[in-house]
Amino acid sequence: MVKANSIKIIIFSIFLASLYGCKNPDDSRQLVLNPPSADSSFSIEELYNLASNKNSRTISLTDSILYATSDQNTRSEAFYIRGLYYANIDQLDEALKYFDSSIIENYTQVDAYIEKSILLNNQKKFEAAIQTLEIALHLTKNNTDLYYCLGKSNEGLGKIIDAHKWYGLAVSIEPDFEEAKKGYNRTK
């Protein structure tokens, strides 16, 4: 049984990579000639803050992580944080590349799917956003951000009934989610 599940995961990962043409961008283990020393005084939360504040130090610190570990979860998180940094500085192609890398390292990284879909929605690539979010739907349930993004994508395609359903699910879980409530009311 375990072996069958492992094979399913491998096949699913290959499917994801082929579906999105994913590759690890510029594999940092080969890129970093003189890797910065890992700074243990930075927590993951602080790295998120650096990325949110558009601090370029995010790159060298995530390079340190990527160089220092082969742990897929940690590498996925580092790629994800780097994707957030690039999204925040409006380098959307780079951001998409790193969200894809995060997914390749850990296909269960739901936040990477959601962030990728946000970028795709902003580029009016609603079908691609929905395809991305449908994969995430198989990984998690009751995720308000996921449901909200599905509402946005469907609304972008003019699928108002579907959009209303997804916004409604988001609001049913988190009644104070203002953007989801607006979407729900807008699609009545």
Side-chain angles (χ1 to χ4, degrees), residues 30-77:
Q30 295 170 0
L31 268 181
V32 182
L33 300 175
N34 297 309
S37 60
D39 187 346
S40 60
S41 66
F42 275 90
S43 68
I44 291 294
E45 291 78 24
E46 290 169 314
L47 285 174
Y48 277 108
N49 286 335
L50 288 174
S52 295
N53 292 321
K54 305 175 185 178
N55 188 321
S56 63
R57 242 182 120 202
T58 304
I59 301 302
S60 64
L61 291 169
T62 55
D63 269 347
S64 288
I65 293 168
L66 293 168
Y67 183 80
T69 186
S70 61
D71 177 70
Q72 288 181 301
N73 292 329
T74 304
R75 291 178 61 79
S76 175
E77 197 76 20

Side-chain angles (χ1 to χ4, degrees), residues 26-169:
D26 306 322
D27 187 355
S28 60
R29 288 175 291 195
Q30 295 170 0
L31 268 181
V32 182
L33 300 175
N34 297 309
S37 60
D39 187 346
S40 60
S41 66
F42 275 90
S43 68
I44 291 294
E45 291 78 24
E46 290 169 314
L47 285 174
Y48 277 108
N49 286 335
L50 288 174
S52 295
N53 292 321
K54 305 175 185 178
N55 188 321
S56 63
R57 242 182 120 202
T58 304
I59 301 302
S60 64
L61 291 169
T62 55
D63 269 347
S64 288
I65 293 168
L66 293 168
Y67 183 80
T69 186
S70 61
D71 177 70
Q72 288 181 301
N73 292 329
T74 304
R75 291 178 61 79
S76 175
E77 197 76 20
F79 282 130
Y80 175 72
I81 291 168
R82 189 176 281 196
L84 291 175
Y85 168 75
Y86 281 116
N88 287 327
I89 63 168
D90 293 323
Q91 290 187 19
L92 304 184
D93 289 338
E94 286 296 301
L96 283 170
K97 198 165 45 168
Y98 285 104
F99 291 140
D100 282 340
S101 293
S102 176
I103 292 165
I104 288 170
E105 289 289 336
N106 178 359
Y107 78 93
T108 66
Q109 174 58 287
V110 172
D111 291 336
Y113 292 98
I114 292 170
E115 290 298 329
K116 179 178 178 175
S117 77
I118 290 169
L119 295 179
L120 292 169
N121 275 338
N122 290 340
Q123 296 173 343
K124 310 268 189 257
K125 296 178 180 176
F126 303 115
E127 281 291 340
I130 289 172
Q131 288 174 350
T132 300
L133 293 166
E134 285 176 344
I135 295 168
L137 265 178
H138 293 288
L139 302 171
T140 188
K141 302 292 180 229
N142 298 325
N143 185 309
T144 56
D145 292 328
L146 175 61
Y147 295 154
Y148 172 74
C149 288
L150 279 161
K152 294 270 299 176
S153 299
N154 279 284
E155 186 176 6
L157 288 173
K159 296 180 178 179
I160 302 306
I161 294 170
D162 289 338
H164 185 73
K165 174 187 84 170
W166 291 115
Y167 287 136
L169 282 170

Side-chain angles (χ1 to χ4, degrees), residues 11-36:
I11 291 170
F12 186 67
S13 298
I14 292 168
F15 166 75
L16 286 176
S18 66
L19 180 65
Y20 295 109
C22 299
K23 295 183 242 170
N24 274 354
D26 306 322
D27 187 355
S28 60
R29 288 175 291 195
Q30 295 170 0
L31 268 181
V32 182
L33 300 175
N34 297 309

